[in-house]
Amino acid sequence: MTPPIDARALGKRFRREWGLRDCTVTIPEGAVVGLAGPNAAGKSTLLSLAAGLLAPSEGSIEVLGRNPLREPSVLAEVGYVAQGAPLYRSFTVAETIEFARRTNSCWDEALLADVPTRIAPRTKVGALSAGERARLALALALCKRPRLVLLDEPFAGLDPLAGREFLQLLMDGVAETAATVVIASHVIADIERVCDHIVLLTGGGVRLEGNVEELLESYRILIGPRRPLGSIRGVRSIVRERHSGRQLTLLVRTDGPIVDPSWTVEPVGLEELLLAYMAPERMPESAPPERLPLRWHG
Amino acid sequence: MIEFHLDPRSGVATYLQIVQQVKEALRLGTISVGDQLPTVREVVADLAINPNTVAKAYRDLEREGLVIARQGRGTFVASTLAPAAASLRHYKGLRVELERWLEAAGNVGLDEESIRALISATLRETLARRVA
């Protein structure tokens, strides 16, 4: 089975700066992937490379088993919504839908879902609310019945209700088409609800990647009295340590059960885990971030 | 028909929350053998969650023999977790006792959080003693 996205040592340089560097990642088929990371981490660059809008400076990227630049026909199977859901502002909603219908070879109008009934067809796109425009752009991307959907910061500028409606439309489309989805977002709370796979980019490289459930299963918060840190049984590495007064709080990657009863062991949430990996002290600019070793104890 | 709700702050994986809610409904008898669970698309449309998550929850329930998926028709309850009718008869009495206890707790000034903490700690310790 060909993975929806397969990037090998992928890099993209803009003049002097690398937008993405040495990025090797495989997106599993059928996953809803959260592409997380702070601003300027390389999320948009990776999506643009996958959508065939940019050419790699080094390495390679294959989309659905094909090179998006050399075989642009693959893009008929990719639904891409750029940041801010750009559409022609002077078109009406009906004209926009008609335009998309005529310019796409595959078109399944059923995937517009409730968009035509909720948004008046004669409204000019420029007069739509941010939420309406986002849902219209998404519906148009879904009508292609894509095998891969790429969304760049779709929640920017949406209030919580519009964000929820956007997710409902997206997840209904996924249930119908079984498409793989990649959602770039710097706000983890926006994607936490839906994603079952995470790719965390920092400073242009992959910092953490994996199935959400497996990741959360292998990390724990340990709380205990402050003490010199030796090796802790069951702990593979310490991601973050925090001291407050006499208390010590560790975020650790485990390789077995924590048996020492002096630690209170708690599960970690996705947002907290990703924030810990995003912490700036863990990615000095001199070293390629994704190669940075964690602090190993024991 | 069962309706799912999510607590994003519970720290419990979404698919597990669905599994637990089905089991709870089976235990309380609000759904029983032959009843249909909401379709994946209905749950997705309702909660805005990943369809894979719902499918995973239903697969887990099916593996435990609690539900059965019928191709193209949906997922149906196949077995029950409700205690036998004999113990079901005791539910009402137990509930009345529990209500009395809750009133007593309120009378001595425990707030909801303290009551929850006391109940879950007692439950945990009692069950641990039973296992030991």
Side-chain angles (χ1 to χ4, degrees):
Chain A
M1 215 159 24
T2 47
I5 296 179
D6 194 9
R8 297 285 160 90
L10 181 65
K12 175 67 192 174
R13 190 170 54 202
F14 300 102
R15 295 173 188 274
R16 283 212 197 126
E17 300 245 323
W18 287 90
L20 196 70
R21 190 96 204 245
D22 200 13
C23 171
T24 296
V25 67
T26 305
I27 301 294
E29 182 161 16
V32 177
V33 182
L35 182 59
N39 292 325
K43 305 188 294 292
S44 294
T45 307
L46 179 55
L47 291 189
S48 300
L49 287 159
L53 297 171
L54 291 175
S57 308
E58 59 180 31
S60 69
I61 182 164
E62 288 206 337
V63 172
L64 302 165
R66 282 168 280 173
N67 180 315
L69 281 175
R70 253 178 274 143
E71 298 169 80
S73 62
V74 72
L75 299 176
E77 297 178 69
V78 177
Y80 169 68
V81 181
Q83 206 162 344
L87 296 168
Y88 294 109
R89 297 175 62 84
S90 58
F91 277 25
T92 65
V93 171
E95 286 164 348
T96 305
I97 294 172
E98 183 60 26
F99 179 75
R101 181 189 296 131
R102 293 198 192 184
T103 46
N104 284 292
S105 50
C106 179
W107 188 255
D108 182 354
E109 197 116 338
L111 283 153
L112 286 174
D114 63 349
V115 168
T117 52
R118 298 268 311 275
I119 306 176
R122 278 191 234 159
T123 320
K124 284 261 179 13
V125 165
L128 296 178
S129 70
E132 289 170 330
R133 199 173 66 232
R135 280 194 300 134
L136 177 60
L138 173 64
L140 297 179
L142 291 173
C143 284
K144 295 168 75 174
R145 292 198 77 92
R147 287 167 64 198
L148 175 64
V149 178
L150 306 171
L151 305 171
D152 196 354
E153 296 285 353
F155 301 99
L158 300 195
D159 62 56
L161 179 63
R164 176 60 60 87
E165 288 181 336
F166 182 89
L167 273 187
Q168 277 168 330
L169 181 65
L170 174 63
M171 288 301 118
D172 191 54
V174 171
E176 170 63 27
T177 61
T180 305
V181 182
V182 182
I183 313 171
S185 177
H186 67 286
V187 183
I188 294 145
D190 285 337
I191 51 173
E192 189 172 19
R193 194 177 183 89
V194 295
C195 57
D196 48 27
H197 199 92
I198 273 287
V199 176
L200 174 66
L201 295 180
T202 58
V206 178
R207 188 76 185 85
L208 184 72
E209 191 243 321
N211 175 281
V212 170
E213 209 180 297
E214 287 167 17
L215 282 175
L216 295 184
E217 205 40 59
S218 55
Y219 288 86
R220 286 288 178 273
I221 303 272
L222 303 189
I223 305 162
R226 199 164 174 170
R227 72 193 82 176
L229 275 178
S231 81
I232 305 169
R233 201 165 146 206
V235 169
R236 185 166 159 186
S237 59
I238 296 179
V239 182
R240 186 189 66 196
E241 48 181 278
R242 275 187 183 159
H243 310 263
S244 59
R246 264 171 280 168
Q247 187 176 288
L248 178 59
T249 307
L250 302 177
L251 172 57
V252 301
R253 184 170 175 194
T254 62
D255 55 11
I258 309 292
V259 285
D260 182 347
S262 67
W263 293 108
T264 304
V265 183
E266 282 178 6
V268 59
L270 184 62
E271 183 160 22
E272 187 168 6
L273 177 63
L274 295 184
L275 286 175
Y277 269 100
M278 277 190 231
E281 67 265 30
R282 301 240 159 237
M283 33 174 270
E285 280 171 27
S286 53
E290 72 276 22
R291 300 253 178 273
L292 226 162
L294 301 170
R295 290 180 49 190
W296 299 93
H297 292 245
Chain B
M1 178 79 98
I2 182 171
E3 223 174 84
F4 300 115
H5 52 91
L6 283 188
D7 179 1
R9 260 159 286 285
S10 68
V12 178
T14 307
Y15 86 93
L16 263 185
Q17 292 193 41
I18 293 175
V19 168
Q20 284 168 358
Q21 283 168 36
V22 170
K23 286 186 176 173
E24 186 172 300
L26 287 171
R27 245 174 233 123
L28 295 174
T30 43
I31 51 172
S32 51
V33 176
D35 284 352
Q36 187 174 4
L37 295 185
T39 64
V40 171
R41 279 191 81 170
E42 281 166 346
V43 181
V44 164
D46 190 28
L47 299 179
I49 57 170
N50 187 336
N52 301 335
T53 306
V54 187
K56 183 177 162 69
Y58 283 10
R59 268 201 312 277
D60 268 31
L61 289 163
E62 195 173 8
R63 210 173 303 127
E64 291 188 51
L66 295 173
V67 303
I68 185 159
R70 298 213 182 100
Q71 196 63 43
R73 291 185 46 208
T75 305
F76 295 84
V77 177
S79 144
T80 178
L81 285 172
S87 57
L88 205 53
R89 273 207 311 272
H90 297 293
Y91 260 39
K92 204 171 166 202
L94 287 168
R95 194 185 164 123
V96 170
E97 275 178 60
L98 188 56
E99 278 166 6
R100 220 173 277 141
W101 183 87
L102 285 174
E103 202 182 316
N107 287 343
V108 297
L110 291 192
D111 60 4
E112 187 183 329
E113 236 168 82
S114 316
I115 291 175
R116 276 181 200 282
L118 185 55
I119 290 179
S120 67
T122 312
L123 183 65
R124 206 170 40 235
E125 283 157 28
T126 312
L127 291 180
R129 262 204 306 278
R130 249 189 241 171
V131 173

PDB file of all heavy atoms in Angstrom, chain A residues 15-30:
ATOM      1  N   ARG A  15      15.724  31.467  -0.181  1.00  0.00           N
ATOM      2  CA  ARG A  15      16.936  32.286  -0.159  1.00  0.00           C
ATOM      3  C   ARG A  15      17.942  31.652   0.815  1.00  0.00           C
ATOM      4  O   ARG A  15      18.381  30.549   0.627  1.00  0.00           O
ATOM      5  CB  ARG A  15      16.614  33.733   0.224  1.00  0.00           C
ATOM      6  CG  ARG A  15      15.759  34.413  -0.822  1.00  0.00           C
ATOM      7  CD  ARG A  15      15.306  35.777  -0.371  1.00  0.00           C
ATOM      8  NE  ARG A  15      14.340  36.325  -1.304  1.00  0.00           N
ATOM      9  CZ  ARG A  15      14.687  36.996  -2.391  1.00  0.00           C
ATOM     10  NH1 ARG A  15      15.956  37.211  -2.662  1.00  0.00           N
ATOM     11  NH2 ARG A  15      13.763  37.452  -3.210  1.00  0.00           N
ATOM     12  N   ARG A  16      18.196  32.309   1.958  1.00  0.00           N
ATOM     13  CA  ARG A  16      19.215  31.761   2.857  1.00  0.00           C
ATOM     14  C   ARG A  16      18.634  30.828   3.901  1.00  0.00           C
ATOM     15  O   ARG A  16      19.324  30.033   4.511  1.00  0.00           O
ATOM     16  CB  ARG A  16      19.937  32.905   3.566  1.00  0.00           C
ATOM     17  CG  ARG A  16      20.946  33.585   2.682  1.00  0.00           C
ATOM     18  CD  ARG A  16      22.093  34.084   3.562  1.00  0.00           C
ATOM     19  NE  ARG A  16      22.860  35.070   2.846  1.00  0.00           N
ATOM     20  CZ  ARG A  16      23.115  36.281   3.333  1.00  0.00           C
ATOM     21  NH1 ARG A  16      22.649  36.612   4.511  1.00  0.00           N
ATOM     22  NH2 ARG A  16      23.847  37.120   2.649  1.00  0.00           N
ATOM     23  N   GLU A  17      17.323  30.980   4.151  1.00  0.00           N
ATOM     24  CA  GLU A  17      16.720  30.247   5.265  1.00  0.00           C
ATOM     25  C   GLU A  17      16.104  28.929   4.805  1.00  0.00           C
ATOM     26  O   GLU A  17      15.497  28.865   3.743  1.00  0.00           O
ATOM     27  CB  GLU A  17      15.605  31.108   5.882  1.00  0.00           C
ATOM     28  CG  GLU A  17      16.085  32.428   6.418  1.00  0.00           C
ATOM     29  CD  GLU A  17      15.914  32.502   7.911  1.00  0.00           C
ATOM     30  OE1 GLU A  17      14.907  31.973   8.394  1.00  0.00           O
ATOM     31  OE2 GLU A  17      16.784  33.088   8.574  1.00  0.00           O
ATOM     32  N   TRP A  18      16.254  27.929   5.664  1.00  0.00           N
ATOM     33  CA  TRP A  18      15.584  26.661   5.391  1.00  0.00           C
ATOM     34  C   TRP A  18      14.189  26.687   6.008  1.00  0.00           C
ATOM     35  O   TRP A  18      14.041  26.874   7.205  1.00  0.00           O
ATOM     36  CB  TRP A  18      16.385  25.498   5.967  1.00  0.00           C
ATOM     37  CG  TRP A  18      17.634  25.222   5.186  1.00  0.00           C
ATOM     38  CD1 TRP A  18      18.860  25.767   5.390  1.00  0.00           C
ATOM     39  CD2 TRP A  18      17.764  24.345   4.068  1.00  0.00           C
ATOM     40  NE1 TRP A  18      19.751  25.290   4.456  1.00  0.00           N
ATOM     41  CE2 TRP A  18      19.116  24.406   3.635  1.00  0.00           C
ATOM     42  CE3 TRP A  18      16.871  23.510   3.369  1.00  0.00           C
ATOM     43  CZ2 TRP A  18      19.587  23.666   2.542  1.00  0.00           C
ATOM     44  CZ3 TRP A  18      17.355  22.775   2.286  1.00  0.00           C
ATOM     45  CH2 TRP A  18      18.688  22.869   1.879  1.00  0.00           C
ATOM     46  N   GLY A  19      13.173  26.486   5.177  1.00  0.00           N
ATOM     47  CA  GLY A  19      11.809  26.432   5.693  1.00  0.00           C
ATOM     48  C   GLY A  19      11.519  25.049   6.239  1.00  0.00           C
ATOM     49  O   GLY A  19      10.695  24.868   7.124  1.00  0.00           O
ATOM     50  N   LEU A  20      12.247  24.073   5.665  1.00  0.00           N
ATOM     51  CA  LEU A  20      12.076  22.686   6.070  1.00  0.00           C
ATOM     52  C   LEU A  20      13.416  22.012   5.801  1.00  0.00           C
ATOM     53  O   LEU A  20      14.061  22.303   4.797  1.00  0.00           O
ATOM     54  CB  LEU A  20      10.972  22.037   5.226  1.00  0.00           C
ATOM     55  CG  LEU A  20      10.375  20.721   5.734  1.00  0.00           C
ATOM     56  CD1 LEU A  20       9.548  20.968   6.981  1.00  0.00           C
ATOM     57  CD2 LEU A  20       9.471  20.103   4.662  1.00  0.00           C
ATOM     58  N   ARG A  21      13.828  21.135   6.732  1.00  0.00           N
ATOM     59  CA  ARG A  21      15.153  20.563   6.559  1.00  0.00           C
ATOM     60  C   ARG A  21      15.175  19.123   7.016  1.00  0.00           C
ATOM     61  O   ARG A  21      14.731  18.824   8.130  1.00  0.00           O
ATOM     62  CB  ARG A  21      16.174  21.380   7.385  1.00  0.00           C
ATOM     63  CG  ARG A  21      17.627  21.031   7.097  1.00  0.00           C
ATOM     64  CD  ARG A  21      18.185  22.008   6.091  1.00  0.00           C
ATOM     65  NE  ARG A  21      19.304  21.463   5.358  1.00  0.00           N
ATOM     66  CZ  ARG A  21      20.549  21.932   5.441  1.00  0.00           C
ATOM     67  NH1 ARG A  21      20.834  22.901   6.252  1.00  0.00           N
ATOM     68  NH2 ARG A  21      21.502  21.403   4.692  1.00  0.00           N
ATOM     69  N   ASP A  22      15.683  18.258   6.164  1.00  0.00           N
ATOM     70  CA  ASP A  22      15.893  16.866   6.539  1.00  0.00           C
ATOM     71  C   ASP A  22      14.637  16.252   7.155  1.00  0.00           C
ATOM     72  O   ASP A  22      14.685  15.619   8.200  1.00  0.00           O
ATOM     73  CB  ASP A  22      17.073  16.768   7.523  1.00  0.00           C
ATOM     74  CG  ASP A  22      17.618  15.336   7.553  1.00  0.00           C
ATOM     75  OD1 ASP A  22      17.254  14.546   6.657  1.00  0.00           O
ATOM     76  OD2 ASP A  22      18.382  15.018   8.479  1.00  0.00           O
ATOM     77  N   CYS A  23      13.534  16.450   6.475  1.00  0.00           N
ATOM     78  CA  CYS A  23      12.253  15.976   6.998  1.00  0.00           C
ATOM     79  C   CYS A  23      11.929  14.615   6.398  1.00  0.00           C
ATOM     80  O   CYS A  23      11.730  14.487   5.198  1.00  0.00           O
ATOM     81  CB  CYS A  23      11.172  17.000   6.662  1.00  0.00           C
ATOM     82  SG  CYS A  23       9.512  16.444   7.019  1.00  0.00           S
ATOM     83  N   THR A  24      11.944  13.595   7.239  1.00  0.00           N
ATOM     84  CA  THR A  24      11.578  12.256   6.801  1.00  0.00           C
ATOM     85  C   THR A  24      10.339  11.829   7.566  1.00  0.00           C
ATOM     86  O   THR A  24      10.369  11.727   8.795  1.00  0.00           O
ATOM     87  CB  THR A  24      12.734  11.267   7.050  1.00  0.00           C
ATOM     88  OG1 THR A  24      13.844  11.670   6.243  1.00  0.00           O
ATOM     89  CG2 THR A  24      12.324   9.848   6.675  1.00  0.00           C
ATOM     90  N   VAL A  25       9.257  11.652   6.853  1.00  0.00           N
ATOM     91  CA  VAL A  25       8.012  11.307   7.531  1.00  0.00           C
ATOM     92  C   VAL A  25       7.112  10.540   6.569  1.00  0.00           C
ATOM     93  O   VAL A  25       7.099  10.797   5.365  1.00  0.00           O
ATOM     94  CB  VAL A  25       7.323  12.578   8.085  1.00  0.00           C
ATOM     95  CG1 VAL A  25       6.828  13.476   6.981  1.00  0.00           C
ATOM     96  CG2 VAL A  25       6.194  12.222   9.019  1.00  0.00           C
ATOM     97  N   THR A  26       6.409   9.551   7.120  1.00  0.00           N
ATOM     98  CA  THR A  26       5.442   8.787   6.335  1.00  0.00           C
ATOM     99  C   THR A  26       4.082   8.918   6.990  1.00  0.00           C
ATOM    100  O   THR A  26       3.923   8.627   8.172  1.00  0.00           O
ATOM    101  CB  THR A  26       5.841   7.296   6.290  1.00  0.00           C
ATOM    102  OG1 THR A  26       7.177   7.215   5.794  1.00  0.00           O
ATOM    103  CG2 THR A  26       4.917   6.513   5.383  1.00  0.00           C
ATOM    104  N   ILE A  27       3.117   9.388   6.229  1.00  0.00           N
ATOM    105  CA  ILE A  27       1.763   9.556   6.759  1.00  0.00           C
ATOM    106  C   ILE A  27       0.988   8.262   6.478  1.00  0.00           C
ATOM    107  O   ILE A  27       0.887   7.837   5.334  1.00  0.00           O
ATOM    108  CB  ILE A  27       1.064  10.749   6.067  1.00  0.00           C
ATOM    109  CG1 ILE A  27       1.844  12.050   6.270  1.00  0.00           C
ATOM    110  CG2 ILE A  27      -0.378  10.875   6.543  1.00  0.00           C
ATOM    111  CD1 ILE A  27       1.908  12.537   7.680  1.00  0.00           C
ATOM    112  N   PRO A  28       0.443   7.616   7.526  1.00  0.00           N
ATOM    113  CA  PRO A  28      -0.288   6.368   7.306  1.00  0.00           C
ATOM    114  C   PRO A  28      -1.655   6.595   6.657  1.00  0.00           C
ATOM    115  O   PRO A  28      -2.310   7.598   6.918  1.00  0.00           O
ATOM    116  CB  PRO A  28      -0.446   5.790   8.724  1.00  0.00           C
ATOM    117  CG  PRO A  28      -0.281   6.934   9.639  1.00  0.00           C
ATOM    118  CD  PRO A  28       0.527   7.986   8.944  1.00  0.00           C
ATOM    119  N   GLU A  29      -2.039   5.646   5.819  1.00  0.00           N
ATOM    120  CA  GLU A  29      -3.298   5.777   5.091  1.00  0.00           C
ATOM    121  C   GLU A  29      -4.501   5.750   6.040  1.00  0.00           C
ATOM    122  O   GLU A  29      -4.543   4.980   6.997  1.00  0.00           O
ATOM    123  CB  GLU A  29      -3.432   4.642   4.083  1.00  0.00           C
ATOM    124  CG  GLU A  29      -4.687   4.766   3.266  1.00  0.00           C
ATOM    125  CD  GLU A  29      -4.647   3.958   1.990  1.00  0.00           C
ATOM    126  OE1 GLU A  29      -3.791   3.065   1.873  1.00  0.00           O
ATOM    127  OE2 GLU A  29      -5.483   4.232   1.123  1.00  0.00           O
ATOM    128  N   GLY A  30      -5.449   6.642   5.782  1.00  0.00           N
ATOM    129  CA  GLY A  30      -6.690   6.667   6.547  1.00  0.00           C
ATOM    130  C   GLY A  30      -6.591   7.415   7.861  1.00  0.00           C
ATOM    131  O   GLY A  30      -7.568   7.520   8.589  1.00  0.00           O
TER     132      GLY A  30
END
